Every structure is written in C-alpha cells, then in structure tokens.
C-alpha cells in the first residue's frame, strides 16, 4: 500500500484495504473483511457465490469442508469459518437426517449479486464536463465505526479523500448516491459541485492527487503478469478438477480488488495505456474459461456428501454476474435439489 502523502498531513491514505473492506458494517449481513491472502471465511463465501449464487442451493457442510480443504484450509478451520458466517448472517443452515446443509441468506445473496455486478461490469467512457462532486463531512474521532462505514460507502460510490473530511468524484451525484447518503442521516455532511481553479502556486492539492494512479497501475501490471501465463493452459483444457476451482477462486479474489481501487476517472485524467479493460478481458477469459471444469468438480464433491439430495450447482459467467442474472444463458441440467427447510422460504 502506498504511504501517506507527506505534503498533506490531513490527507487520508486512499488505498487502505481495511478501510475499503471494513469488518464493522451496518445491517444484518457482515461479510468477512478482505485480507492480503484469502481467509477461510472469504474462500467459503467465494465458493458459495461462484456456484450457488443464482440458485441459492443448499450445499452439504461436509462438501464445503472438503472443497476448502483443497484450498489448504484445515477441517477445523473450515467448520469454524462456516459457523462464523452463519453468525454474521451470511449463511443459513438446516439438517436433513444426519447431514447439515448451508446456503447464502437472501440478504447476502442480494449483496453479493449487486456488488459482483458493479465489480465486473464494463466501464462506460462518458464525456466529462470538468466539474467535480465534493462531499464534506465532520465526525468526532470516537465515532470510529461510523467513520469507517461512511468512508467505505463513499469508496464504493466512487469517491476518494482529497483531505480527511473532503471526498471527491469527477462524476455527477447519481440518484442512487443521493439515496445512499440520505440513509446515512448525517447532519454534518454537505454536498456541492465545483470546478478546480489552477492557482499556479506550489501549495494545495490537485483533485487528481486523491488517487494514486501510479500505484493502481502497478496493481494492474502485477495482475497481468501473474495471469497471462495461466490463460493458455486454461484454454487448452489443462486445468481441471480441484485446480480449476482453486484457480477460478483465486482469479476472482485477485481481480475484485482492482475495480474498487480503480478511480474510474475520465480518460483524459488517466495515464496513457491504462490497463483497466485489458485486465478485465484477461480476468473474463480465465474465469469463464474454467467455469465448466470447476462446476463439474464442485458438483462431484457435493454428490459425494449429499446422497440423493444433490444441490443445483451452477457456475455463472462474468456476463451473468454483470447482468445480475437477468438473462438465461444456458439450460439448467436436470438435477434433484435439496428441499427447502420449513419456514426458510
């Protein structure tokens, strides 16, 4: 992570991952905080989202433990992760005889669908009128949880901190952003639109300084270097079974940070040869290219532990996720599904 700007003591570090993915969030669903590596809880959520998000199918807990074991998680660590996700409101469970099953809660599925769509959606190159939207707020230091929640919300809405209490975006204030800010009910928040005035002085910060585009470009370059060699193997069908699931999970876990760190600035403000679209194309090729092999393996593991109650495993594509699953992309395979638990639907 880049260091704080020494020329602006009041400026926040704009790429603090713990701030972007806070552990404390509002609402009944608390998804696991992202870490430098993949935590057991994060892996469990990714597995369920990648293969059951569309259907919210019940997956045997023993199958989840087995799949997490293939990713290097111990059986005890996997069971602890599942239990904690249930307490967080991410998973709900029920029993069929001696078997335990879990699935994403409706709230978690909706959150992951909306968030996934935003992360993988193609970028729209819109003309820019050179106006900035500024959001100013003031919260006491003791309101740490509220501050982190607000900053996380602003980050997800495409804003960055020019100074600690002044966040900016080159985009207009959308209806969705207005509604989100209204929900926060902060009396110490002000929104306004303005143009930047060049003073020709060596003081102050340029609005573009709210984003460390050099550091973000480095993240894109690192992604391309790591995944370019993987693509030929995926296209040749040489990645199968557990390796296909691990690779698909890893490419999603790695890529999903990039659209959040990326400021989505107008093209004229970005450095030349910005790698946003090449990285998205590479991610799509690897993720979609492994969907069939990974789906087959997850289904096979689920069948080993589900008996006759085979869950409806569906590996979605990037287009499915970007479209919020509103399109039918292929016929479902005929499979018996786990019956819903009483009172769950």
């Amino acid at each position: 992570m880049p260091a704080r700007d020494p020329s602006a003591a009041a400026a926040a570090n704009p790429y603090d991952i713990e701030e972007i993915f806070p552990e404390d969030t509002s609402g009944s669903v608390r998804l696991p905080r992202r870490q430098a590596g993949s935590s057991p809880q994060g892996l469990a959520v990714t597995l369920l989202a990648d293969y059951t998000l569309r259907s919210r199918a019940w997956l045997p807990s023993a199958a989840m433990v087995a799949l997490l074991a293939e990713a290097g998680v111990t059986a005890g660590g996997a069971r602890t992760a599942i239990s904690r996700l249930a307490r967080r409101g991410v998973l709900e469970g029920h029993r069929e005889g001696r078997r335990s099953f879990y699935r994403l809660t409706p709230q978690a599925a909706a959150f992951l669908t909306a968030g996934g769509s935003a992360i993988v959606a193609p970028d729209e190159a819109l003309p820019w009128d050179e106006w900035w939207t500024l959001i100013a707020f003031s919260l006491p230091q003791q309101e740490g949880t509220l501050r982190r929640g607000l900053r996380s919300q602003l980050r997800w809405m495409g804003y960055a901190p020019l100074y600690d209490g002044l966040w900016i975006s080159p985009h207009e204030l959308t209806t969705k952003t207005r509604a989100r800010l209204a929900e926060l009910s902060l009396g110490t928040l002000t929104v306004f639109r303005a143009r930047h005035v060049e003073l020709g002085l060596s003081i102050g910060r340029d609005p573009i300084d709210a984003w460390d585009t050099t550091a973000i470009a480095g993240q894109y370059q690192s992604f391309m270097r790591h995944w370019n060699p993987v693509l030929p193997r995926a296209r040749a069908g040489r990645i199968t079974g557990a390796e296909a699931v691990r690779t698909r999970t890893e490419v999603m876990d790695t890529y999903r940070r990039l659209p959040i760190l990326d400021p989505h600035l107008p093209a004229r403000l970005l450095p030349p040869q910005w790698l946003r679209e090449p990285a998205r194309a590479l991610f799509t090729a690897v993720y979609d290219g492994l969907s069939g092999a990974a789906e087959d393996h997850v289904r096979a593991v689920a069948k080993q532990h589900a008996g006759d109650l085979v869950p409806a495993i569906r590996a979605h594509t990037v287009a499915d996720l970007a479209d919020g699953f509103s399109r039918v992309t292929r016929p479902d395979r005929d499979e018996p599904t786990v019956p819903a638990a009483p009172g769950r639907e």
Side-chain angles (χ1 to χ4, degrees):
M1 295 299 154
R4 292 179 182 273
D5 183 353
S7 66
N13 183 341
Y15 302 107
D16 184 343
I17 288 295
E18 291 193 6
E19 173 189 309
I20 296 171
F21 299 107
E23 189 169 19
D24 297 320
T25 58
S26 59
S28 59
V29 178
R30 295 189 297 118
L31 292 171
R33 184 179 62 194
R34 308 294 181 216
Q35 300 178 357
S38 296
S39 69
Q41 290 184 65
L43 284 171
V45 171
T46 300
L47 282 168
L48 282 165
D50 279 348
Y51 305 102
T52 71
L53 183 56
R54 176 165 33 191
S55 63
R56 286 187 57 239
W58 296 96
L59 198 63
S61 60
M64 295 174 63
V65 171
L67 290 166
L68 289 170
E70 294 176 345
V73 180
T74 65
R79 294 189 186 96
T80 298
I82 294 169
S83 176
R84 288 177 176 173
L85 288 170
R87 288 200 299 269
R88 285 173 177 264
V90 179
L91 301 182
E92 59 184 3
H94 82 97
R95 297 186 67 85
E96 289 288 334
R98 299 178 61 182
R99 298 186 181 95
S100 296
F101 293 82
Y102 287 89
R103 69 175 179 181
L104 295 168
T105 62
Q107 297 89 343
F111 184 95
L112 290 165
T113 298
S117 177
I119 287 171
V120 305
D123 196 56
E124 297 183 35
L126 301 175
W128 185 45
D129 59 5
E130 299 187 12
W131 283 78
W132 296 84
T133 300
L134 298 94
I135 298 180
F137 65 90
S138 177
L139 289 171
Q141 290 294 334
Q142 58 266 32
E143 294 285 355
T145 298
L146 184 58
R147 287 172 62 86
R148 287 192 297 272
L150 174 58
R151 294 162 75 94
S152 176
Q153 291 289 323
L154 291 173
R155 179 72 66 188
W156 273 97
M157 291 186 286
Y159 290 78
L162 185 60
Y163 299 99
D164 186 46
L166 183 65
W167 287 58
I168 64 171
S169 167
H171 307 295
E172 293 185 11
L173 190 69
T174 64
T175 301
K176 184 176 181 179
T177 301
R178 288 175 184 269
R180 188 75 60 82
L181 292 175
E183 291 172 1
L184 297 174
S185 300
L186 293 176
T188 56
L189 185 147
T190 302
V191 181
F192 52 99
R193 296 267 291 166
R195 284 177 177 265
H196 178 232
V197 178
E198 293 282 358
L199 298 177
L201 303 175
S202 59
I203 59 174
R205 303 183 81 200
D206 190 292
I208 193 64
D209 292 337
W211 295 272
D212 189 339
T213 54
T214 300
I216 301 169
Q219 294 287 328
Y220 275 126
Q221 292 162 4
S222 177
F223 179 86
M224 301 292 287
R225 282 194 304 270
H226 181 82
W227 290 102
N228 265 323
V230 177
L231 184 56
R233 294 184 61 231
R235 284 177 169 166
R238 297 201 302 269
I239 302 177
T240 60
E243 185 184 5
V245 177
R246 286 195 304 269
T247 304
R248 197 166 183 262
T249 299
E250 184 184 350
V251 74
M252 170 60 83
D253 194 55
T254 306
Y255 176 79
R256 64 184 170 190
R257 292 165 169 80
L258 298 178
I260 300 170
L261 295 178
D262 191 314
H264 296 273
L265 297 171
R268 59 184 292 187
L269 298 177
L270 290 169
Q273 298 181 327
W274 194 246
L275 293 175
R276 177 191 301 149
E277 287 308 309
R280 182 182 184 277
L282 177 59
F283 160 71
T284 300
V286 174
Y287 187 78
D288 287 358
L290 295 175
S291 62
E295 176 183 303
D296 288 344
H297 181 71
V298 172
R299 180 179 289 107
V301 173
K303 283 183 177 180
Q304 292 175 8
H305 299 278
D308 295 332
L309 303 175
V310 182
I313 303 299
R314 302 284 185 271
H316 54 252
T317 64
V318 169
D320 294 333
L321 194 54
D323 209 38
F325 305 114
S326 62
R327 296 180 295 110
V328 177
T329 57
R330 59 189 172 93
D332 289 341
R333 303 184 192 183
D334 293 331
E335 294 176 336
T337 58
V338 178
R344 293 289 187 183
E345 299 295 348

